[in-house]
Amino acid sequence: MRSVIAIALVFGSVVLGAAKSNTNLTGEYARDFAALKQLSLAIAKAMPVERWDFRPHSESMNFGMLTSRIATTNYQFCAALKDSDSPRVNTANDRDSIIKLLSGSFDYCSGVIGHLSEDQLAATHNTPDGQLTGREALLAMYLHVAHQAARLNSLFATIGSGRLDI
């Protein structure tokens, strides 16, 4: 949990600092996103396959649904940064397919984030959170991933496996 919060705070300060600078910081964005990928995939892979349907109560998403949500939202935000439609991806229902979907979403976003121009960072995009500049969209996406990864880690801890701290 501490690592998720630390990543979000560091990234938030980079995004806000970049708003005051003309420097293109996409390399830093990509590096921070790689850390979120590592954490999210580690938690997904560590969850026992028989517990992927675990949910703390009947109204919440189960572990697999939450993992899929991270992937779907990654695709949506990154496509928005390119001002394009989200890529069509196969629906994932089992652990291995969901992990592949999650990994693919991080790979897709890494390709987008690593090539954002200053103009794209300053432009307004139609994101899952509404009309946001590129920098705001990156911040919203990173916070979403960090929050959802923390939720995954909490579910993992709830089944008695402890928390992962990467």
Side-chain angles (χ1 to χ4, degrees):
M1 179 67 134
R2 282 177 258 144
S3 62
V4 171
I5 292 169
I7 290 169
L9 290 174
V10 167
F11 181 75
S13 66
V14 168
V15 169
L16 295 175
K20 298 175 185 173
S21 165
N22 289 332
T23 305
N24 186 340
L25 297 174
T26 58
E28 289 185 43
Y29 296 152
R31 185 186 65 240
D32 292 338
F33 199 64
L36 288 172
K37 174 184 180 179
Q38 180 185 6
L39 176 64
S40 300
L41 286 171
I43 296 166
K45 291 175 181 177
M47 179 63 96
V49 68
E50 65 275 4
R51 301 308 306 260
W52 269 64
D53 62 349
F54 174 75
R55 64 180 83 214
H57 56 79
S58 61
E59 296 175 13
S60 65
M61 287 186 269
N62 67 33
F63 187 89
M65 293 169 161
L66 188 56
T67 306
S68 291
R69 180 180 172 148
I70 294 170
T72 301
T73 306
N74 284 351
Y75 278 117
Q76 291 170 340
F77 268 108
C78 291
L81 287 166
K82 292 178 13 174
D83 295 318
S84 64
D85 292 331
S86 186
R88 291 192 178 267
V89 294
N90 293 332
T91 304
N93 295 320
D94 62 275
R95 177 187 182 269
D96 291 340
S97 296
I98 293 171
I99 289 173
K100 184 177 178 181
L101 177 70
L102 182 63
S103 181
S105 75
F106 278 104
D107 292 344
Y108 174 77
C109 286
S110 293
V112 171
I113 293 167
H115 295 96
L116 290 172
S117 68
E118 185 62 34
D119 288 343
Q120 288 172 303
L121 292 170
T124 300
H125 305 277
N126 185 23
T127 75
D129 285 352
Q131 296 292 311
L132 300 174
T133 67
R135 284 185 182 83
E136 292 168 337
L138 284 172
L139 180 58
M141 180 181 65
Y142 280 57
L143 291 174
H144 178 265
V145 173
H147 171 75
Q148 300 303 346
R151 288 181 64 197
L152 288 178
N153 214 356
S154 291
L155 292 176
F156 184 72
T158 300
I159 67 161
S161 297
R163 292 185 187 276
L164 293 182
D165 197 16
I166 296 185

